[in-house]
Amino acid sequence: MAHELGLPCVSPGAGSVLRLLAAAGNAKAVVEIGTGTGVSGVWLLRGMRPDGVLTTIDVEHEHQRIARRVFLEAGFAPSRTRIISGRALDVLPRLADGAYDLIFVDADTTEFAACTEAALRLLRQGGVLIVNGAHAGGRISDPSARDVDTLTIRETVKAIRESEDWIPAVIPSGAGLLTAVKR
């Protein structure tokens, strides 16, 4: 479905990492920034506790309509998802401080810095941040790559790596997953 709409989706390898991290943290409350067609949401739900709720945010109503159907077809009751339409940077300030176990950012790279700042407020101590696309399409290690997306990703990785608030790692799965545990 994602490919039919021209949307990238997480690879099975990256999806299995999402499921693993959600399960390892016994995640009950998860935020996904960028619903897409629900592929990553299904991976997250598969790793979450049976009573867990995935809050997923996207500006595209059509994508969310498809995701809602994908979640149902995967066997998840509507009560397991909270689908919020809107820009992440408008929605995130309305979410509760320290209430989330995991936050997955799969949004426009220009919003990475703001989303990671919000994650620091939203995650509980020991909560996990995952940012998709850390390899910048293979350009991250190329010093001559100076496009906005690559520079933004480099800055986000550097900020998290140098922060005392996070314990970070980049997992080389799919498009690259910048992961960090909140201290």
Side-chain angles (χ1 to χ4, degrees):
M1 183 64 68
H3 296 294
E4 294 168 16
L5 295 173
L7 291 175
C9 61
V10 296
S11 69
S16 66
V17 171
L18 295 177
R19 182 183 66 212
L20 171 81
L21 292 172
N26 198 28
K28 182 176 181 180
V30 172
V31 174
E32 175 186 45
I33 301 168
T35 308
T37 57
V39 174
S40 53
V42 168
W43 282 106
L44 289 163
L45 284 160
R46 286 180 178 156
M48 293 170 63
R49 294 171 30 169
D51 61 340
V53 175
L54 172 68
T55 299
T56 184
I57 305 163
D58 205 301
V59 293
E60 296 292 336
H61 299 289
E62 179 64 13
H63 299 169
Q64 290 180 321
R65 186 185 65 73
I66 293 166
R68 188 173 279 116
R69 190 178 82 222
V70 167
F71 296 148
L72 284 173
E73 288 173 0
F76 297 103
S79 61
R80 295 286 313 277
T81 58
R82 179 171 69 152
I83 300 173
I84 301 174
S85 293
R87 285 186 60 244
L89 301 183
D90 295 332
V91 174
L92 294 173
R94 300 192 316 250
L95 300 181
D97 293 3
Y100 297 92
D101 304 305
L102 187 149
I103 295 178
F104 177 54
V105 180
D106 194 10
D108 185 344
T109 53
T110 60
E111 297 182 350
F112 277 9
C115 288
T116 58
E117 284 178 32
L120 190 57
R121 178 183 62 79
L122 296 170
L123 285 168
R124 64 168 170 76
Q125 186 175 0
V128 177
L129 167 67
I130 308 167
V131 181
N132 194 30
H135 289 155
R139 298 179 310 276
I140 199 71
S141 60
D142 177 2
S144 67
R146 309 290 298 162
D147 59 282
V148 173
D149 286 347
T150 303
L151 292 174
T152 301
I153 293 167
R154 280 188 192 129
E155 289 168 12
T156 302
V157 170
K158 182 180 182 211
I160 289 176
R161 187 178 54 232
E162 293 177 353
S163 172
E164 293 295 317
D165 297 317
W166 300 106
I167 300 170
V170 174
I171 299 174
S173 189
L177 300 170
L178 169 59
T179 57
V181 175
K182 181 180 174 182
R183 290 185 189 264

